[in-house]
Amino acid sequence: MNRISTLLIAIALPVAFAAPSIAQEGKTLGTVENGNTTTVFKAADSRDIDTHKLKTWNEFASQHPNVASELAHNPALINDDAYAKKHPQLGAFFSAHPEIRESMAANPGNYVAIPPRPGE
């Protein structure tokens, strides 16, 4: 019995450590075809995301959920100075963290996501 347990642990442990790296290779999660357009959904590769910037943004977003939601639905607002003036907290955040604003403008999906509707 001990040999079997040891063998199972010896097999399971390397597999457990390898699983996250396998998932990061862009595994296809699904596809959607609409007419002659095919959209392929792949697993996220978080290796190129600056987790410090993401954590800083998430702290702001949790304190200002309406602003975060509006930016998720319309990422063009990230570069809209008039919108930032309407929301001084966002303007102050972007002034303090211009690198996050630049990164968000380049890749908004890394920072803002539309939460699923109830039942989705």
Side-chain angles (χ1 to χ4, degrees):
M1 185 71 168
N2 283 340
R3 288 183 185 183
I4 293 173
S5 298
T6 304
L7 179 62
L8 288 175
I9 291 172
I11 292 171
L13 199 57
V15 170
F17 284 109
S21 65
I22 292 168
Q24 291 181 354
E25 292 180 7
K27 175 184 171 190
T28 300
L29 300 174
T31 59
V32 174
E33 293 186 25
N34 186 6
N36 61 358
T37 303
T38 301
T39 305
V40 178
F41 296 92
K42 294 192 173 207
D45 181 359
S46 61
R47 291 177 288 183
D48 62 343
I49 296 175
D50 184 332
T51 55
H52 178 69
K53 288 180 189 174
L54 182 59
K55 181 181 177 196
T56 302
W57 166 252
N58 284 339
E59 289 170 0
F60 175 85
S62 68
Q63 295 172 1
H64 304 91
N66 292 335
V67 171
S69 177
E70 289 176 5
L71 292 176
H73 284 87
N74 187 0
L77 294 173
I78 293 167
N79 289 322
D80 187 339
D81 290 331
Y83 182 78
K85 286 181 184 177
K86 289 181 189 176
H87 301 279
Q89 306 92 346
L90 180 65
F93 177 82
F94 282 154
S95 292
H97 305 284
E99 72 285 356
I100 294 176
R101 184 179 193 173
E102 291 171 13
S103 186
M104 286 179 74
N107 295 300
N110 289 349
Y111 293 90
V112 294
I114 300 171
R117 292 181 219 139
E120 286 187 331

